Amino acid sequence: MINLSRYSSFQYYLAGLATSATAMGLQVVIFPWLVVGVLNEPADRVGLAQMAAMLPNLLLILVGGAVSDNRHLGTYLSRLYLLYCLPFGIMLIAALNGYLNYQLLILFGLGYGMITAFVQPARESLLTQVCGDNLQRAVARSTIVQFTAQSIGFLLMGLFDLVGLSVLLVFQMLLFVVSGRLLRASQPPGQGLAEGRQRGRQGIWSGLKEVWRHPRLLPLMLMVAATGFIGFGAYLVAMPLMAREVYQAGPGFYAGLQLCFAVGVLLSNTIYIRLVGGISWPGRVLLISLFCRGVIMVVIGLHVPVLALFPLVVVWGMFSGISISLGRVMTHSEAPESHRSRVVSIYQLALLGTAPLGAWVSGELIHLWGVLNVFVILGVAVLLASVVGLFSQLWKSRPEKPVARP
């Protein structure tokens, strides 16, 4: 019998993160493919469906961040993960009885997104409580674990035609239940409950004020918001439509693109961990990576051959991966301890809260001008955002707290 007591809180946390990320990685591929490949919806309705799944992040994630400051996070997260069984259970019943339709997917996306809006800030806040003294290394390790697990989820999408939707839905529900148990084990009852935190709207507004008056956090959040608005539109809407309409491919092809992106994220973070001395100018590296992502999106919009498309997506993932890690590290390092959970929720709002609007806009643009033209348009927008960032404190100054080697 395995002695579970010998595992540390951080190891339990990583195990819980990996389990849930596998389910979420599978969901990232299944949801859009149900809209694109099963229901054969047009581009504007694909964008609307993706917006429905992500809109709760825009509306609720700041509330989720404030609420997580007032909870025992191990217990709180275990209950939140159990809630995922409700939308997945409804979807399972519909799939078994042949009731799957566009309206049901919209409702599923809203329910899934509402739960996720509370899960994400709480899970990120728990990281700071269980990681020990080396926060930078913990952030990089959690990023690697998360995207490795998501890659497994992408690979499991290859079983879609073999085992069917119902089996995959049951598997996802089991993963969420196991993840909740592991995160509860990372912080058992009686450990880690913070006291004396601000509550309610006061907590939300104090976090916003902290970001607004900070010389580096404000431009960081603006750049991250641009990434969420523009980049997620291409990633979540344009990519599955490109697989169907440009390359006339099925779910395996789309899952392969998602896997290549995740491999790129893993490669960049592995390199990041091994850098001797770390990155002295993280803001500059973040802006350079943003510029390079814009170039890659423009190139993809030129209709490259399949053999070139997959390597390009890997490189796209590499630049995105280093941006994700640097954004998280800078947010944790710059945020004061008293406001860290709330500032983290603002970072997640900037990254994920703007994504539903970007998905909707991308779907509308693709409906008007076609998927490849929109890749070029979005790429140019990313290039312009990176150029604007050259005139901010992200480029001009070092952080007050050096970003140490993770």
Side-chain angles (χ1 to χ4, degrees):
M1 180 178 292
I2 299 175
N3 181 15
L4 295 179
S5 63
R6 64 190 176 92
Y7 296 108
S8 68
S9 294
F10 186 54
Q11 287 172 323
Y12 275 119
Y13 176 87
L14 291 179
L17 176 64
T19 309
S20 63
T22 302
M24 290 179 171
L26 188 55
Q27 186 60 26
V28 164
V29 187
I30 285 180
F31 184 77
W33 192 255
L34 288 176
V35 183
V36 172
V38 176
L39 300 181
N40 294 310
E41 297 290 346
D44 55 339
R45 285 166 71 87
V46 176
L48 181 61
Q50 291 285 35
M51 183 181 74
M54 295 180 291
L55 186 61
N57 274 313
L58 178 63
L59 301 177
L60 296 174
I61 200 165
L62 291 183
V63 177
V67 170
S68 70
D69 271 340
N70 306 313
R71 303 281 180 173
H72 179 265
L73 295 179
T75 303
Y76 179 54
L77 280 167
S78 68
R79 293 171 179 170
L80 284 176
Y81 275 115
L82 285 177
L83 281 179
Y84 276 121
C85 292
L86 179 60
F88 278 90
I90 293 173
M91 179 72 77
L92 176 62
I93 294 172
L96 289 173
N97 292 278
Y99 296 143
L100 189 66
N101 56 49
Y102 183 76
Q103 290 74 21
L104 179 66
L105 285 178
I106 293 291
L107 292 175
F108 171 83
L110 288 171
Y112 178 83
M114 287 178 65
I115 299 169
T116 304
F118 287 87
V119 165
Q120 287 174 337
R123 191 178 62 198
E124 190 75 6
S125 298
L126 181 59
L127 170 63
T128 63
Q129 296 185 27
V130 301
C131 68
D133 296 331
N134 199 330
L135 174 63
Q136 312 303 330
R137 187 178 184 85
V139 167
R141 287 181 65 187
S142 66
T143 301
I144 290 175
V145 167
Q146 182 175 352
F147 278 88
T148 300
Q150 284 182 357
S151 301
I152 296 172
F154 300 154
L155 288 172
L156 291 173
M157 179 60 179
L159 300 175
F160 184 87
D161 292 331
L162 180 63
V163 303
L165 174 62
S166 299
V167 173
L168 293 179
L169 289 172
V170 171
F171 181 63
Q172 285 175 284
M173 286 192 285
L174 290 174
L175 289 175
F176 283 128
V177 172
V178 172
S179 180
R181 297 292 295 176
L182 289 169
L183 291 175
R184 183 181 177 88
S186 74
Q187 189 182 67
Q191 296 183 14
L193 182 61
E195 298 180 355
R197 300 272 184 111
Q198 291 175 308
R199 295 179 178 269
R201 293 200 310 174
Q202 182 183 4
I204 295 173
W205 287 113
S206 65
L208 290 170
K209 290 177 182 178
E210 190 68 34
V211 170
W212 179 260
R213 64 192 183 196
H214 197 287
R216 282 171 297 281
L217 282 176
L218 180 59
L220 172 64
M221 299 305 171
L222 292 175
M223 287 297 105
V224 170
T227 300
F229 181 81
I230 301 169
F232 273 98
Y235 181 72
L236 295 175
V237 179
M239 190 181 289
L241 287 169
M242 180 180 67
R244 184 187 74 181
E245 298 179 1
V246 177
Y247 294 95
Q248 288 81 48
F253 184 93
Y254 175 50
L257 291 176
Q258 295 276 11
L259 179 61
C260 285
F261 187 90
V263 167
V265 172
L266 294 174
L267 286 174
S268 62
N269 276 275
T270 301
I271 295 170
Y272 178 36
I273 285 178
R274 295 180 180 275
L275 283 178
V276 177
I279 296 176
S280 299
W281 298 85
R284 292 190 177 187
V285 175
L286 189 147
L287 290 173
I288 292 170
S289 70
L290 187 63
F291 180 88
C292 294
R293 287 152 68 188
V295 172
I296 291 171
M297 291 168 65
V298 170
V299 173
I300 290 175
L302 300 179
H303 193 180
V304 298
V306 172
L307 292 179
L309 176 63
F310 285 92
L312 275 173
V313 174
V314 172
V315 178
W316 185 11
M318 290 182 69
F319 286 117
S320 298
I322 194 63
S323 293
I324 290 170
S325 287
L326 287 176
R328 291 176 68 196
V329 166
M330 291 176 67
T331 299
H332 281 291
S333 299
E334 299 284 354
E337 180 65 31
S338 60
H339 291 73
R340 179 168 287 165
S341 296
R342 281 155 281 185
V343 172
V344 165
S345 71
I346 294 169
Y347 167 80
Q348 292 174 329
L349 173 66
L351 180 63
L352 302 173
T354 55
L357 299 177
W360 175 73
V361 170
S362 296
E364 293 296 324
L365 292 177
I366 292 169
H367 183 69
L368 293 174
W369 293 321
V371 63
L372 292 180
N373 289 331
V374 169
F375 254 111
V376 174
I377 293 170
L378 295 178
V380 171
V382 171
L383 292 174
L384 292 175
S386 65
V387 171
V388 170
L390 297 177
F391 302 96
S392 71
Q393 289 296 322
L394 286 178
W395 184 267
K396 294 178 182 178
S397 63
R398 292 175 182 264
E400 293 176 6
K401 300 177 184 179
V403 179
R405 178 174 181 251

